[in-house]
Amino acid sequence: MRKLIAAGVLCILFGFFSTGNCSVDDLLLTEGEAEILETKKYFQLVEKIEKNPSYVQVERWFDFQKLDHFNPSDSRTFRQRYWTMDLYWDRERGPVLFWLCGEYTCPGIRKTRLFPVLLAQRFNALIIVLEHRYYGASQPFEDWSLPNLKWLTVQQALDDTAYFVNFIKTNDEFHVGNDRPWIVIGGSYPGAMSAWYRYKYPHLTIGSLASSAVINAIADFTAFDEQIYYSTRISNLDCTTTIQNFTNDLDAIFANDTDKSQQIKASFGAEKLTDDEFFFYIADVFVETVQYGGRIALCNKITRKSFDSLLQLVKEIANSSNVFPPDYGSYYLSNTTYDIDKNGRQWTYQYCSQMGWFQTPSKDPNLRMRSTRLSLNFYKKFCQDTFGEPVWPDVDYFNNQFGGLDMVVDNVIFSNGDEDPWRHASLNVSKNAYHMDALLITCDDCAHCVDLNTPTKQDSRPLHNARIKILKTFAKWLSQYLSLIHI
């Protein structure tokens, strides 16, 4: 019987006895006993976070991030923002959890997403959070004119992360050095970035947690629309048909009654949107609610309501979900003026130029949850109207660069909520031969990046089990790495 398991190796090599994360008894556990102990420790940490969710992070700046990593003759740089949280860090041996931000103004660690903080407590880790180029305060230029967006690519952003890590390793303030293990974490697009980072820079990280990681570029993304059908069906068919009938009725009004259709747009403050863009906006009111774990509340609110009642409810849901018309209108997105709180133009450029993910209606009318107006032709015009010239992705080229769903790289966890429409651009089946673990978390309202959310005792058992599996996998990666280098 094996007595020395991953937890014990971590105790020996990591010096965890003094931190309270291990005891001498951990060295004498069978694997089954170790799993019970890991589960117990997880719930202890959940209780600790519930009682005291506070943390202190420090905002910092990397002053010399390269603008162009692929042109040695271009010496231009920009300031990139990052945060550190060292409350639980063992400065002598502790690992680094490298948290990637994405297509938004990065707040550092979010109060609503404290699972990485739980991981930091468990492994006495330093957390470093990096803001993505062109978002928030990490701006290479003073405006977002199309020529200035040339360097907003996945490839440049990935090289930012590698260049930044080398800066941290050589910075005397942190004393991280070259042998400290790093694990990269991200959710959604940053989840894909974390997987691609592990794929491209395996020497800089021992593993990746890729939550809701959209690693597969897709142009005609009908599966996204169909998942909204399947997710709402979990509540009841009435919920699904309510959305379908509302969309069809709205389509009929816009096809036959110009005055009423413009009145409806004006009631949403969407006068500047084209009619087709308005349907893009309306579809996302339902999508965003389901995508972020609000399916039950949505269906309870809208089922069997009249069209006029639904129209008012959709306005209320849009406002409460922060779904606003300017994020869906080329009139607004063509504005090149920098604003630290605006991210729509940059993100639109990224998906129009590289990844696609154009959410088109299902080819099956029974599964269709959005207007047929939202075809690929709509998105081609939308991208062109936003940037003033044709901008369109070559998704086959992109997937050849990063592997898409055929990616082969070890030590990556792909976690997805089963109600999340984005999971159809992620890995849902494990590739055990390559240590690529897919965790499909099945529970009510388990949706986008659900595992990263702040844990509570009230979370579903499948969600707790997924997080415990992540903890165990991190422990395995760390013990394997530390055993090799004898830190």
Side-chain angles (χ1 to χ4, degrees), residues 467-482:
R467 290 179 177 140
I468 292 166
K469 175 68 181 295
I470 292 167
L471 259 71
K472 290 168 57 182
T473 303
F474 275 31
K476 180 179 71 175
W477 292 344
L478 288 166
S479 66
Q480 289 172 345
Y481 177 79
L482 296 172

mmCIF file with all atom_site columns, all heavy atoms in Angstrom, residues 467-482:
data_model
loop_
_atom_site.group_PDB
_atom_site.id
_atom_site.type_symbol
_atom_site.label_atom_id
_atom_site.label_alt_id
_atom_site.label_comp_id
_atom_site.label_asym_id
_atom_site.label_entity_id
_atom_site.label_seq_id
_atom_site.pdbx_PDB_ins_code
_atom_site.Cartn_x
_atom_site.Cartn_y
_atom_site.Cartn_z
_atom_site.occupancy
_atom_site.B_iso_or_equiv
_atom_site.pdbx_formal_charge
_atom_site.auth_seq_id
_atom_site.auth_comp_id
_atom_site.auth_asym_id
_atom_site.auth_atom_id
_atom_site.pdbx_PDB_model_num
ATOM 1   N N   . ARG A 1 467 ? -14.137 21.747 -7.588  1.00 0.00 ? 467 ARG A N   1
ATOM 2   C CA  . ARG A 1 467 ? -13.081 22.544 -6.953  1.00 0.00 ? 467 ARG A CA  1
ATOM 3   C C   . ARG A 1 467 ? -12.121 21.658 -6.170  1.00 0.00 ? 467 ARG A C   1
ATOM 4   O O   . ARG A 1 467 ? -10.902 21.899 -6.170  1.00 0.00 ? 467 ARG A O   1
ATOM 5   C CB  . ARG A 1 467 ? -13.715 23.591 -6.041  1.00 0.00 ? 467 ARG A CB  1
ATOM 6   C CG  . ARG A 1 467 ? -14.436 24.703 -6.803  1.00 0.00 ? 467 ARG A CG  1
ATOM 7   C CD  . ARG A 1 467 ? -15.061 25.694 -5.848  1.00 0.00 ? 467 ARG A CD  1
ATOM 8   N NE  . ARG A 1 467 ? -15.697 26.808 -6.529  1.00 0.00 ? 467 ARG A NE  1
ATOM 9   C CZ  . ARG A 1 467 ? -16.848 27.345 -6.151  1.00 0.00 ? 467 ARG A CZ  1
ATOM 10  N NH1 . ARG A 1 467 ? -17.501 26.851 -5.095  1.00 0.00 ? 467 ARG A NH1 1
ATOM 11  N NH2 . ARG A 1 467 ? -17.367 28.369 -6.812  1.00 0.00 ? 467 ARG A NH2 1
ATOM 12  N N   . ILE A 1 468 ? -12.637 20.644 -5.515  1.00 0.00 ? 468 ILE A N   1
ATOM 13  C CA  . ILE A 1 468 ? -11.765 19.713 -4.786  1.00 0.00 ? 468 ILE A CA  1
ATOM 14  C C   . ILE A 1 468 ? -10.846 18.995 -5.775  1.00 0.00 ? 468 ILE A C   1
ATOM 15  O O   . ILE A 1 468 ? -9.661  18.794 -5.502  1.00 0.00 ? 468 ILE A O   1
ATOM 16  C CB  . ILE A 1 468 ? -12.606 18.721 -3.968  1.00 0.00 ? 468 ILE A CB  1
ATOM 17  C CG1 . ILE A 1 468 ? -13.316 19.450 -2.821  1.00 0.00 ? 468 ILE A CG1 1
ATOM 18  C CG2 . ILE A 1 468 ? -11.731 17.594 -3.409  1.00 0.00 ? 468 ILE A CG2 1
ATOM 19  C CD1 . ILE A 1 468 ? -14.412 18.644 -2.162  1.00 0.00 ? 468 ILE A CD1 1
ATOM 20  N N   . LYS A 1 469 ? -11.387 18.623 -6.938  1.00 0.00 ? 469 LYS A N   1
ATOM 21  C CA  . LYS A 1 469 ? -10.570 17.986 -7.971  1.00 0.00 ? 469 LYS A CA  1
ATOM 22  C C   . LYS A 1 469 ? -9.464  18.939 -8.431  1.00 0.00 ? 469 LYS A C   1
ATOM 23  O O   . LYS A 1 469 ? -8.311  18.521 -8.651  1.00 0.00 ? 469 LYS A O   1
ATOM 24  C CB  . LYS A 1 469 ? -11.444 17.589 -9.160  1.00 0.00 ? 469 LYS A CB  1
ATOM 25  C CG  . LYS A 1 469 ? -10.689 17.029 -10.359 1.00 0.00 ? 469 LYS A CG  1
ATOM 26  C CD  . LYS A 1 469 ? -10.069 15.674 -10.078 1.00 0.00 ? 469 LYS A CD  1
ATOM 27  C CE  . LYS A 1 469 ? -9.288  15.146 -11.284 1.00 0.00 ? 469 LYS A CE  1
ATOM 28  N NZ  . LYS A 1 469 ? -10.150 14.860 -12.448 1.00 0.00 ? 469 LYS A NZ  1
ATOM 29  N N   . ILE A 1 470 ? -9.772  20.211 -8.555  1.00 0.00 ? 470 ILE A N   1
ATOM 30  C CA  . ILE A 1 470 ? -8.767  21.205 -8.942  1.00 0.00 ? 470 ILE A CA  1
ATOM 31  C C   . ILE A 1 470 ? -7.672  21.293 -7.879  1.00 0.00 ? 470 ILE A C   1
ATOM 32  O O   . ILE A 1 470 ? -6.477  21.322 -8.187  1.00 0.00 ? 470 ILE A O   1
ATOM 33  C CB  . ILE A 1 470 ? -9.429  22.575 -9.176  1.00 0.00 ? 470 ILE A CB  1
ATOM 34  C CG1 . ILE A 1 470 ? -10.315 22.520 -10.428 1.00 0.00 ? 470 ILE A CG1 1
ATOM 35  C CG2 . ILE A 1 470 ? -8.376  23.671 -9.325  1.00 0.00 ? 470 ILE A CG2 1
ATOM 36  C CD1 . ILE A 1 470 ? -11.250 23.704 -10.585 1.00 0.00 ? 470 ILE A CD1 1
ATOM 37  N N   . LEU A 1 471 ? -8.070  21.337 -6.600  1.00 0.00 ? 471 LEU A N   1
ATOM 38  C CA  . LEU A 1 471 ? -7.081  21.372 -5.519  1.00 0.00 ? 471 LEU A CA  1
ATOM 39  C C   . LEU A 1 471 ? -6.165  20.154 -5.568  1.00 0.00 ? 471 LEU A C   1
ATOM 40  O O   . LEU A 1 471 ? -4.935  20.281 -5.435  1.00 0.00 ? 471 LEU A O   1
ATOM 41  C CB  . LEU A 1 471 ? -7.780  21.439 -4.163  1.00 0.00 ? 471 LEU A CB  1
ATOM 42  C CG  . LEU A 1 471 ? -7.852  22.819 -3.493  1.00 0.00 ? 471 LEU A CG  1
ATOM 43  C CD1 . LEU A 1 471 ? -8.831  23.723 -4.245  1.00 0.00 ? 471 LEU A CD1 1
ATOM 44  C CD2 . LEU A 1 471 ? -8.286  22.707 -2.037  1.00 0.00 ? 471 LEU A CD2 1
ATOM 45  N N   . LYS A 1 472 ? -6.751  18.982 -5.740  1.00 0.00 ? 472 LYS A N   1
ATOM 46  C CA  . LYS A 1 472 ? -5.954  17.754 -5.791  1.00 0.00 ? 472 LYS A CA  1
ATOM 47  C C   . LYS A 1 472 ? -4.998  17.759 -6.980  1.00 0.00 ? 472 LYS A C   1
ATOM 48  O O   . LYS A 1 472 ? -3.845  17.328 -6.861  1.00 0.00 ? 472 LYS A O   1
ATOM 49  C CB  . LYS A 1 472 ? -6.884  16.544 -5.867  1.00 0.00 ? 472 LYS A CB  1
ATOM 50  C CG  . LYS A 1 472 ? -7.656  16.265 -4.585  1.00 0.00 ? 472 LYS A CG  1
ATOM 51  C CD  . LYS A 1 472 ? -8.751  15.245 -4.807  1.00 0.00 ? 472 LYS A CD  1
ATOM 52  C CE  . LYS A 1 472 ? -8.207  13.948 -5.369  1.00 0.00 ? 472 LYS A CE  1
ATOM 53  N NZ  . LYS A 1 472 ? -9.303  12.976 -5.633  1.00 0.00 ? 472 LYS A NZ  1
ATOM 54  N N   . THR A 1 473 ? -5.467  18.279 -8.113  1.00 0.00 ? 473 THR A N   1
ATOM 55  C CA  . THR A 1 473 ? -4.614  18.321 -9.303  1.00 0.00 ? 473 THR A CA  1
ATOM 56  C C   . THR A 1 473 ? -3.472  19.308 -9.111  1.00 0.00 ? 473 THR A C   1
ATOM 57  O O   . THR A 1 473 ? -2.323  19.026 -9.480  1.00 0.00 ? 473 THR A O   1
ATOM 58  C CB  . THR A 1 473 ? -5.449  18.690 -10.537 1.00 0.00 ? 473 THR A CB  1
ATOM 59  O OG1 . THR A 1 473 ? -6.517  17.749 -10.686 1.00 0.00 ? 473 THR A OG1 1
ATOM 60  C CG2 . THR A 1 473 ? -4.595  18.673 -11.793 1.00 0.00 ? 473 THR A CG2 1
ATOM 61  N N   . PHE A 1 474 ? -3.763  20.469 -8.535  1.00 0.00 ? 474 PHE A N   1
ATOM 62  C CA  . PHE A 1 474 ? -2.691  21.427 -8.235  1.00 0.00 ? 474 PHE A CA  1
ATOM 63  C C   . PHE A 1 474 ? -1.648  20.792 -7.317  1.00 0.00 ? 474 PHE A C   1
ATOM 64  O O   . PHE A 1 474 ? -0.436  20.962 -7.515  1.00 0.00 ? 474 PHE A O   1
ATOM 65  C CB  . PHE A 1 474 ? -3.275  22.677 -7.573  1.00 0.00 ? 474 PHE A CB  1
ATOM 66  C CG  . PHE A 1 474 ? -3.789  23.720 -8.529  1.00 0.00 ? 474 PHE A CG  1
ATOM 67  C CD1 . PHE A 1 474 ? -4.323  23.366 -9.753  1.00 0.00 ? 474 PHE A CD1 1
ATOM 68  C CD2 . PHE A 1 474 ? -3.759  25.065 -8.187  1.00 0.00 ? 474 PHE A CD2 1
ATOM 69  C CE1 . PHE A 1 474 ? -4.820  24.327 -10.630 1.00 0.00 ? 474 PHE A CE1 1
ATOM 70  C CE2 . PHE A 1 474 ? -4.234  26.037 -9.041  1.00 0.00 ? 474 PHE A CE2 1
ATOM 71  C CZ  . PHE A 1 474 ? -4.769  25.669 -10.271 1.00 0.00 ? 474 PHE A CZ  1
ATOM 72  N N   . ALA A 1 475 ? -2.118  20.075 -6.290  1.00 0.00 ? 475 ALA A N   1
ATOM 73  C CA  . ALA A 1 475 ? -1.195  19.424 -5.355  1.00 0.00 ? 475 ALA A CA  1
ATOM 74  C C   . ALA A 1 475 ? -0.314  18.413 -6.082  1.00 0.00 ? 475 ALA A C   1
ATOM 75  O O   . ALA A 1 475 ? 0.894   18.313 -5.811  1.00 0.00 ? 475 ALA A O   1
ATOM 76  C CB  . ALA A 1 475 ? -1.979  18.744 -4.240  1.00 0.00 ? 475 ALA A CB  1
ATOM 77  N N   . LYS A 1 476 ? -0.897  17.682 -7.016  1.00 0.00 ? 476 LYS A N   1
ATOM 78  C CA  . LYS A 1 476 ? -0.133  16.704 -7.778  1.00 0.00 ? 476 LYS A CA  1
ATOM 79  C C   . LYS A 1 476 ? 0.920   17.393 -8.632  1.00 0.00 ? 476 LYS A C   1
ATOM 80  O O   . LYS A 1 476 ? 2.090   16.973 -8.656  1.00 0.00 ? 476 LYS A O   1
ATOM 81  C CB  . LYS A 1 476 ? -1.067  15.878 -8.667  1.00 0.00 ? 476 LYS A CB  1
ATOM 82  C CG  . LYS A 1 476 ? -0.362  14.825 -9.506  1.00 0.00 ? 476 LYS A CG  1
ATOM 83  C CD  . LYS A 1 476 ? -1.330  14.020 -10.357 1.00 0.00 ? 476 LYS A CD  1
ATOM 84  C CE  . LYS A 1 476 ? -1.890  14.879 -11.477 1.00 0.00 ? 476 LYS A CE  1
ATOM 85  N NZ  . LYS A 1 476 ? -2.757  14.096 -12.392 1.00 0.00 ? 476 LYS A NZ  1
ATOM 86  N N   . TRP A 1 477 ? 0.524   18.457 -9.348  1.00 0.00 ? 477 TRP A N   1
ATOM 87  C CA  . TRP A 1 477 ? 1.494   19.173 -10.177 1.00 0.00 ? 477 TRP A CA  1
ATOM 88  C C   . TRP A 1 477 ? 2.649   19.704 -9.338  1.00 0.00 ? 477 TRP A C   1
ATOM 89  O O   . TRP A 1 477 ? 3.817   19.580 -9.720  1.00 0.00 ? 477 TRP A O   1
ATOM 90  C CB  . TRP A 1 477 ? 0.814   20.352 -10.874 1.00 0.00 ? 477 TRP A CB  1
ATOM 91  C CG  . TRP A 1 477 ? -0.189  19.991 -11.922 1.00 0.00 ? 477 TRP A CG  1
ATOM 92  C CD1 . TRP A 1 477 ? -0.355  18.785 -12.539 1.00 0.00 ? 477 TRP A CD1 1
ATOM 93  C CD2 . TRP A 1 477 ? -1.184  20.865 -12.467 1.00 0.00 ? 477 TRP A CD2 1
ATOM 94  N NE1 . TRP A 1 477 ? -1.385  18.850 -13.437 1.00 0.00 ? 477 TRP A NE1 1
ATOM 95  C CE2 . TRP A 1 477 ? -1.915  20.115 -13.420 1.00 0.00 ? 477 TRP A CE2 1
ATOM 96  C CE3 . TRP A 1 477 ? -1.526  22.205 -12.261 1.00 0.00 ? 477 TRP A CE3 1
ATOM 97  C CZ2 . TRP A 1 477 ? -2.961  20.680 -14.156 1.00 0.00 ? 477 TRP A CZ2 1
ATOM 98  C CZ3 . TRP A 1 477 ? -2.564  22.751 -12.987 1.00 0.00 ? 477 TRP A CZ3 1
ATOM 99  C CH2 . TRP A 1 477 ? -3.270  21.998 -13.926 1.00 0.00 ? 477 TRP A CH2 1
ATOM 100 N N   . LEU A 1 478 ? 2.318   20.303 -8.201  1.00 0.00 ? 478 LEU A N   1
ATOM 101 C CA  . LEU A 1 478 ? 3.358   20.896 -7.354  1.00 0.00 ? 478 LEU A CA  1
ATOM 102 C C   . LEU A 1 478 ? 4.288   19.828 -6.797  1.00 0.00 ? 478 LEU A C   1
ATOM 103 O O   . LEU A 1 478 ? 5.513   20.000 -6.778  1.00 0.00 ? 478 LEU A O   1
ATOM 104 C CB  . LEU A 1 478 ? 2.718   21.693 -6.220  1.00 0.00 ? 478 LEU A CB  1
ATOM 105 C CG  . LEU A 1 478 ? 2.057   23.012 -6.638  1.00 0.00 ? 478 LEU A CG  1
ATOM 106 C CD1 . LEU A 1 478 ? 1.162   23.545 -5.530  1.00 0.00 ? 478 LEU A CD1 1
ATOM 107 C CD2 . LEU A 1 478 ? 3.127   24.049 -6.996  1.00 0.00 ? 478 LEU A CD2 1
ATOM 108 N N   . SER A 1 479 ? 3.727   18.719 -6.349  1.00 0.00 ? 479 SER A N   1
ATOM 109 C CA  . SER A 1 479 ? 4.581   17.668 -5.781  1.00 0.00 ? 479 SER A CA  1
ATOM 110 C C   . SER A 1 479 ? 5.490   17.070 -6.849  1.00 0.00 ? 479 SER A C   1
ATOM 111 O O   . SER A 1 479 ? 6.664   16.803 -6.588  1.00 0.00 ? 479 SER A O   1
ATOM 112 C CB  . SER A 1 479 ? 3.725   16.577 -5.129  1.00 0.00 ? 479 SER A CB  1
ATOM 113 O OG  . SER A 1 479 ? 2.965   15.880 -6.091  1.00 0.00 ? 479 SER A OG  1
ATOM 114 N N   . GLN A 1 480 ? 4.964   16.882 -8.052  1.00 0.00 ? 480 GLN A N   1
ATOM 115 C CA  . GLN A 1 480 ? 5.786   16.346 -9.140  1.00 0.00 ? 480 GLN A CA  1
ATOM 116 C C   . GLN A 1 480 ? 6.920   17.298 -9.484  1.00 0.00 ? 480 GLN A C   1
ATOM 117 O O   . GLN A 1 480 ? 8.071   16.881 -9.646  1.00 0.00 ? 480 GLN A O   1
ATOM 118 C CB  . GLN A 1 480 ? 4.913   16.089 -10.378 1.00 0.00 ? 480 GLN A CB  1
ATOM 119 C CG  . GLN A 1 480 ? 3.962   14.914 -10.236 1.00 0.00 ? 480 GLN A CG  1
ATOM 120 C CD  . GLN A 1 480 ? 2.988   14.816 -11.391 1.00 0.00 ? 480 GLN A CD  1
ATOM 121 O OE1 . GLN A 1 480 ? 2.816   15.755 -12.175 1.00 0.00 ? 480 GLN A OE1 1
ATOM 122 N NE2 . GLN A 1 480 ? 2.331   13.672 -11.513 1.00 0.00 ? 480 GLN A NE2 1
ATOM 123 N N   . TYR A 1 481 ? 6.602   18.583 -9.581  1.00 0.00 ? 481 TYR A N   1
ATOM 124 C CA  . TYR A 1 481 ? 7.629   19.561 -9.923  1.00 0.00 ? 481 TYR A CA  1
ATOM 125 C C   . TYR A 1 481 ? 8.667   19.690 -8.828  1.00 0.00 ? 481 TYR A C   1
ATOM 126 O O   . TYR A 1 481 ? 9.876   19.653 -9.078  1.00 0.00 ? 481 TYR A O   1
ATOM 127 C CB  . TYR A 1 481 ? 6.967   20.928 -10.174 1.00 0.00 ? 481 TYR A CB  1
ATOM 128 C CG  . TYR A 1 481 ? 7.970   22.031 -10.457 1.00 0.00 ? 481 TYR A CG  1
ATOM 129 C CD1 . TYR A 1 481 ? 8.546   22.152 -11.704 1.00 0.00 ? 481 TYR A CD1 1
ATOM 130 C CD2 . TYR A 1 481 ? 8.343   22.916 -9.445  1.00 0.00 ? 481 TYR A CD2 1
ATOM 131 C CE1 . TYR A 1 481 ? 9.473   23.153 -11.960 1.00 0.00 ? 481 TYR A CE1 1
ATOM 132 C CE2 . TYR A 1 481 ? 9.262   23.920 -9.694  1.00 0.00 ? 481 TYR A CE2 1
ATOM 133 C CZ  . TYR A 1 481 ? 9.825   24.040 -10.952 1.00 0.00 ? 481 TYR A CZ  1
ATOM 134 O OH  . TYR A 1 481 ? 10.744  25.018 -11.189 1.00 0.00 ? 481 TYR A OH  1
ATOM 135 N N   . LEU A 1 482 ? 8.199   19.791 -7.590  1.00 0.00 ? 482 LEU A N   1
ATOM 136 C CA  . LEU A 1 482 ? 9.120   20.010 -6.487  1.00 0.00 ? 482 LEU A CA  1
ATOM 137 C C   . LEU A 1 482 ? 9.990   18.771 -6.236  1.00 0.00 ? 482 LEU A C   1
ATOM 138 O O   . LEU A 1 482 ? 11.141  18.886 -5.804  1.00 0.00 ? 482 LEU A O   1
ATOM 139 C CB  . LEU A 1 482 ? 8.344   20.399 -5.227  1.00 0.00 ? 482 LEU A CB  1
ATOM 140 C CG  . LEU A 1 482 ? 7.583   21.722 -5.334  1.00 0.00 ? 482 LEU A CG  1
ATOM 141 C CD1 . LEU A 1 482 ? 6.689   21.911 -4.122  1.00 0.00 ? 482 LEU A CD1 1
ATOM 142 C CD2 . LEU A 1 482 ? 8.545   22.884 -5.483  1.00 0.00 ? 482 LEU A CD2 1
#
